[in-house]
Amino acid sequence: MAAIGTARKPSRRTAAVDAAESVLLDWFAQQGWQAFPFQREVWQRWRAGESGLLHTPTGSGKTLAAFGGALLDGLAGSAPPSPRLQLIWITPLRALAADTVRALRVPVEALGLGWQIAQRTGDASAKDKRLARAGRVDVLVTTPESLALLLSYADTAESLRGLRGVVVDEWHELLGNKRGTLLQLGLARLRRLAPGLRTWGLSATLGNLDEARDVLLSGAPISNEAPHGALVGGLAPRPLTLETLLPPAHERFAWAGHRGLAHLARVTQRVFEAGTSLLFTNTRLQAELWHAALAAVWPEAPDTLALHHGSLAPALRQAAEQGLRERRLRGVVATSSLDLGVDFPAVDQVLQLGSPKGLARLLQRAGRARHWPGEAASITCIPTHALELLEYAAARHALAQGRVEARPPPRLALDVLAQHCVSIALGGGFDADALYAEVRETHAYAELTSDDWQAVLDFIVRGGSALESYPDFRRVQRGADGLYRVEDRRIAYRHRLSIGTITSDGMVAVKFLRGATLGAVEEAFVGQLRRGDVFQFAGRSLSLVRFEDMTAYVRIARSRDGVNPTWRGGRLPLSNELGREVEALLARGDDSPEWQALQPLLHLQQRLSALPGPQHLLAESLLSRQGRHLFLYPFAGRRVHDGLAALLALRLARRAPNSFTYAANDYGLILTGANDFALEAAALNALLTPEGLDVDLAEAVNLSELARRQFREIARIAGLLPPSLPGRAPRSLRQLQASSGMIYDVLRRYDPQHLLLALAEREVRSRQLDVAGLAATLADLAARPLALHAPPSLTPLSFPLWAESFRGHLSNEDWNTRIARAAAQLEKKHG
């Protein structure tokens, strides 16, 4: 970071500055507001040329805090003549971009600044896109991907040189993924073009705020008083009321499942006790199911109920958002697509179906209701099965203690770096040494070695040693002047279509025969349908007419019966922070309504086995018709449990030949042996060691196959897989798999040290298997005494794991029916 001097308050301020602040504060007063101290602090630091991170709860005035400094510049006459690009506002969502444009225009128009505010995203108008590229706007609202696209044009550099500041909204949503990495590279380029560029991030509360600031501000101007950049705290967290919608005492609680439709009547009643309600679900399937269920009993006009999730067409999502703003809707069923900071002050209550699986997500969703400074946040949770009550009570306690999850940022994502290098080669070319120094200014690539940098250059110039014979992989050329450029217009066109790190391969558009597009579902789902089959999507019953060119043409079906699409990777994992709190709650107890409602189930767990806790590891062994089952409850989350189950299966099989199947959930894992196997606590404890983890894990799971699947995403980001061209049919998932698989095999055979192969294996270990988390869990478990019990039947804790192990088994009954019957039999047996 470059120091700019001191941030001490000047003893005398100019009359223009005083007058500007007076005008801005007068406007605040006209709205019935008073500027908060944190807002004025950010304005002052902006005027002093500083950068920083503002963390404050949703709905506390962060937009005006970040924009106020630029407004003061304009009012004081220190802003450049209009129109001249002076501020870029980065947002993670296109829908949020449109809302931000509206929010920023309000003070600009009220203060008579005459600024042009435009949007540059995939949804922007052609006019806005032209103005953005020419720099003929004052404030540009865009996304990380659209910023990267702007940087790929040589003629944008001149307009960016006058840039005075960048604001990154919802930085916590970008910090922990490759979109944030791409943005770090874009910010480094902007800082080279406009030295002294101020950078401000806006974030909800994080468990790693200092790191979040350091990642964002690496290379940004700082002050002597804040050598790492300013970290400004806003308002205290809004008071949060968490209520659980409990059934009557005589009503049976589901032991497993994810639908929660038994609460339909209670939820409907709760919705109509308020003006406008948001019902959040964790998956798109849940959203479709609950929208259909509510629609079947909805007592008001059908158009007062809406659906919102990421697979719906933009027009449908925008209609739901506008309906919320205009208060025309009584209810919206939504997924995380409405988590972020789109302002809906008209929302009166928020309901959460199932566990939110994370503290930060719970806070974010609760903040959607009464989205105004000073208003308390509240959320009503609807359990889909009994054990989710533990997560509600644990979340309430953890949030009261001020705990929330950290979001660790990725490092050395060389696929993103390769994409960025091609973009900069397109945007006028680059000198290798200068760009190397520039990217090392970022947190993501601060540890980039010269060897890895040379490998990236070699990759974009010739694809690596195994691919250099193929012209499509020779994308960048080094000229006689030493600069790296893209000379081929066809490569330039294809690269710009590929910019970004969001992959949506294998998605099929769902479209009426004559009319609008409804959204997209996965190819595997549509491939199972026959002509005339009915399915539920976008809140409608649809009949498949034909499937061609990755488009499913449909018409409205009369029947309300039909299958629901499923999406891969839909289930949210329990965060480690919340998982540990659940385990601690089971050991210490609670006086919450949820804990009281669970007493019959917890007493049964104790009678049959024992309760888990952080001071010991609970294990249960049970013999059934399927074989010997071993249940373990580390409470380390599904990803760690998946790896741990595979590891234990291998280590147990080494002791005595056997075949194991396994399954996992957020609380624990189940191992089932084809042959009975003897178990002693000491022997089992000896297997729970981190020693030999790398070797055993490589043998326990097919790392090569996992890396092969991960490689497809990496190859797409790095530019090895050409995009689908406009006007042509998108490629199917099978075609993408074949293309990426062929490249993967060629590299494995002829260039085994290729940088993208190494990256694929590293991401499998960190993202899919969480090897670091697994090692930490094993070290923790090895230090605990093991409590091995042999219950006479499945217990309340083991039943969901046993049920999970039956997913995918062939049967003429659906999973929910089988599990409900088994649960009823157990409850009858144990009274």
Side-chain angles (χ1 to χ4, degrees), residues 459-777:
F459 169 66
I460 64 174
V461 169
R462 62 190 188 107
S465 60
L467 301 176
E468 61 181 335
S469 299
Y470 301 91
D472 283 352
F473 301 127
R474 299 198 297 267
R475 293 175 288 167
V476 177
Q477 299 178 20
R478 188 182 185 190
D481 57 0
L483 297 184
Y484 290 77
R485 297 184 180 90
V486 174
E487 304 289 356
D488 189 322
R489 293 180 63 184
R490 182 177 59 92
I491 289 175
Y493 177 64
R494 287 168 50 178
H495 175 78
R496 290 187 174 114
L497 288 174
S498 301
I499 284 177
T501 63
I502 302 174
T503 57
S504 56
D505 297 333
M507 299 302 289
V508 171
V510 179
K511 188 175 183 179
F512 284 125
L513 270 175
R514 297 178 181 85
T517 298
L518 295 174
V521 297
E522 292 189 351
E523 180 186 359
F525 169 73
V526 179
Q528 297 172 352
L529 300 178
R530 295 172 297 178
R531 181 174 180 176
D533 281 354
V534 176
F535 65 100
Q536 306 290 325
F537 179 65
R540 299 162 173 83
S541 285
L542 305 172
S543 174
L544 179 66
V545 178
R546 67 175 185 272
F547 174 32
E548 63 185 26
D549 295 337
M550 293 297 286
T551 301
Y553 292 95
V554 299
R555 60 167 58 100
I556 293 292
R558 293 182 179 178
S559 171
R560 296 297 301 177
D561 296 325
V563 294
N564 288 93
T566 57
W567 288 268
R568 291 169 297 170
R571 286 187 292 182
L572 298 172
L574 185 72
S575 74
N576 186 64
E577 190 80 32
L578 185 53
R580 292 301 182 205
E581 185 62 35
V582 169
E583 186 181 39
L585 172 64
L586 283 166
R588 71 169 184 268
D590 200 318
D591 60 357
S592 66
E594 295 85 5
W595 181 260
Q596 298 306 318
L598 271 177
Q599 285 309 296
L601 206 64
L602 296 178
H603 287 152
L604 178 59
Q605 174 69 33
Q606 285 182 301
R607 179 157 59 88
L608 296 175
S609 174
L611 290 178
Q615 303 306 316
H616 65 277
L617 173 63
L618 175 64
E620 296 172 348
S621 178
L622 175 68
L623 187 64
S624 77
R625 287 180 298 176
Q626 291 83 35
R628 170 69 62 182
H629 306 295
L630 171 65
F631 300 92
L632 287 179
Y633 305 99
F635 286 84
R638 185 185 299 270
R639 277 199 308 163
V640 168
H641 293 159
D642 274 329
L644 181 58
L647 188 71
L648 280 178
L650 172 74
R651 291 176 174 178
L652 281 169
R654 284 176 178 167
R655 295 174 69 250
N658 207 339
S659 296
F660 291 94
T661 58
Y662 60 84
N665 65 14
D666 286 316
Y667 296 170
L669 59 94
I670 173 177
L671 284 172
T672 302
N675 304 314
D676 197 2
F677 54 98
L679 276 175
E680 296 179 358
L684 180 57
N685 210 36
L687 301 178
L688 297 170
T689 173
E691 293 183 14
L693 173 60
D694 285 345
V695 174
D696 287 354
L697 198 60
E699 185 179 345
V701 300
N702 191 340
L703 285 176
S704 178
E705 181 57 31
L706 291 175
R708 184 189 184 92
R709 296 175 190 171
Q710 186 66 25
F711 181 79
R712 184 172 73 246
E713 175 186 316
I714 289 171
R716 214 284 298 155
I717 292 171
L720 281 180
L721 298 179
S724 298
L725 300 178
R728 299 185 185 181
R731 290 170 301 152
S732 69
L733 183 59
R734 183 175 300 177
Q735 291 171 321
L736 288 166
Q737 289 171 334
S739 299
S740 65
M742 180 178 65
I743 295 173
Y744 179 81
D745 291 339
V746 167
L747 294 180
R748 289 272 296 189
R749 183 172 182 180
Y750 298 107
D751 192 1
Q753 303 304 313
H754 196 281
L755 78 162
L756 297 187
L757 293 181
L759 179 61
E761 293 177 5
R762 179 159 59 87
E763 290 192 358
V764 164
R765 294 173 63 82
S766 63
R767 293 170 55 182
Q768 295 187 36
L769 298 177
D770 190 10
V771 175
L774 177 55
T777 298

